[in-house]
Amino acid sequence: MSDVRHVLVLPDRDAADEVAQELSDRFGVSEEPQLVRDALAGEDDAEDAQWLVVVEDPDGRLDPSALDAFAAAYDGWLETP
């Protein structure tokens, strides 16, 4: 078993919420994804924040390219290590 974590970067809270809800239906994610607000460096305004959807994938079964394409549909992307 590998300890894999995927981080999807989304432009706003609404997109992050939608992505988190769809992950179960689309990819069979059983563990609830974690939502994290990521303020851009030097910015205090909430409008300048990105949202991260953190998906635990302990079995390493999720396809990173499919996750990236999924996030792109919401104007986001999969963060690469």
Side-chain angles (χ1 to χ4, degrees):
M1 226 193 264
S2 63
D3 188 22
V4 178
R5 177 178 291 147
H6 304 282
V7 178
L8 304 174
V9 182
L10 287 303
D12 56 45
R13 175 68 189 246
D14 290 339
D17 282 335
E18 284 185 49
V19 165
Q21 290 175 3
E22 293 254 344
L23 280 167
S24 177
D25 293 337
R26 201 157 210 199
F27 294 96
V29 173
S30 58
E31 194 173 316
E32 186 171 338
Q34 179 183 7
L35 298 180
V36 179
R37 181 180 177 269
D38 184 34
L40 300 176
E43 297 294 334
D44 293 327
D45 189 354
E47 294 297 317
D48 294 323
Q50 296 173 329
W51 283 83
L52 309 179
V53 177
V54 181
V55 182
E56 299 295 333
D57 184 18
D59 298 326
R61 64 176 189 78
L62 298 174
D63 177 14
S65 60
L67 287 172
D68 189 43
F70 176 61
Y74 293 89
D75 296 323
W77 65 90
L78 175 66
E79 188 68 27
T80 53

